[in-house]
Amino acid sequence: MSLEKISTQLKLSSAEQKLPPVELWDPPYCGEIDIVIKEDGSWYHNGTVFKRQKLVKLFASVLKKEGDEYFLVTPVEKVKITVEDAPFILSQWSWGQGGEYGEMQLATTLGDEFILGHDHPLHIGDNGCLYVTVRRNLMAKVHRNVFYQWADIAKERKTSSGTELVLPCGSYELVLGCF
């Protein structure tokens, strides 16, 4: 991607930006670059935090996961980066259509917005943390504050394996865990 194209993309508003079709691109592997997405969602290059949020959003738009590895891709090159946990952080939520216990609108720290459901399901990781599929096969870790808000309004339901914390969200049930 040329510097001119990057500059043009950075100038677009969030509403004007469309995600590139990285799932259709299979460029040659060009090596590894010292970019790390930390566990808290911050991006670093050569040990220095990215300070321009628009640049982070641009790189996040060309992020691709293959197996357990993450890459930044363009139609002509693919470079490997390091992701410590999940590339996104789920930081906001609100009730959408249907009001309380209707659809749940979610947002990441990078501005991705979507409705929790079958296209964007909740997962419980091996580490016990909650994750939501954002796009393609990229996950957002549910921020602790969001989890506590959900746990505060969730309902208890007895099952054969114990008691579940359940939050109904329209036609989707959000199971926060079992104890």
Side-chain angles (χ1 to χ4, degrees):
M1 187 177 272
S2 71
L3 184 56
E4 183 179 312
K5 286 183 180 181
I6 290 173
S7 295
T8 301
Q9 185 73 13
L10 286 173
K11 291 176 187 173
L12 293 175
S13 71
S14 295
E16 295 172 310
Q17 293 179 6
K18 293 184 180 172
L19 291 173
V22 298
E23 64 278 1
L24 303 176
W25 299 342
D26 191 22
Y29 178 70
C30 298
E32 203 166 323
I33 188 169
D34 188 13
I35 291 180
V36 178
I37 304 174
K38 297 286 191 176
E39 195 169 348
D40 67 358
S42 57
W43 288 56
Y44 283 77
H45 178 256
N46 289 333
T48 304
V49 70
F50 278 83
K51 294 183 180 176
R52 293 189 63 197
Q53 188 72 355
K54 285 187 174 186
L55 188 57
V56 171
K57 287 181 179 184
L58 176 65
F59 283 146
S61 74
V62 294
L63 185 62
K64 183 177 184 178
K65 183 177 181 186
E66 295 177 356
D68 291 333
E69 298 180 326
Y70 292 87
F71 301 90
L72 298 178
V73 297
T74 70
V76 296
E77 64 184 359
K78 173 169 72 172
V79 292
K80 184 178 174 187
I81 67 167
T82 302
V83 177
E84 290 183 348
D85 188 5
F88 304 111
I89 300 293
L90 184 76
S91 60
Q92 298 178 25
W93 73 279
S94 63
W95 294 115
Q97 291 184 356
E100 187 173 348
Y101 301 113
E103 288 184 343
M104 186 181 285
Q105 179 77 34
L106 305 176
T108 70
T109 53
L110 296 181
D112 293 282
E113 295 182 353
F114 48 92
I115 302 291
L116 180 72
H118 298 288
D119 291 337
H120 303 282
L122 180 79
H123 310 275
I124 300 176
D126 294 338
N127 58 2
C129 294
L130 298 177
Y131 298 87
V132 176
T133 303
V134 176
R135 60 177 183 259
R136 304 176 192 108
N137 58 346
L138 300 174
M139 305 293 256
K141 184 177 185 178
V142 175
H143 192 278
R144 185 176 296 179
N145 289 340
V146 171
F147 173 78
Y148 288 147
Q149 291 170 21
W150 288 348
D152 189 45
I153 61 174
K155 310 292 182 204
E156 289 185 13
R157 177 173 65 193
K158 302 286 184 196
T159 67
S160 59
S161 58
T163 302
E164 291 180 330
L165 276 181
V166 179
L167 188 59
C169 303
S171 63
Y172 188 78
E173 275 193 338
L174 181 63
V175 179
L176 300 178
C178 187
F179 57 94

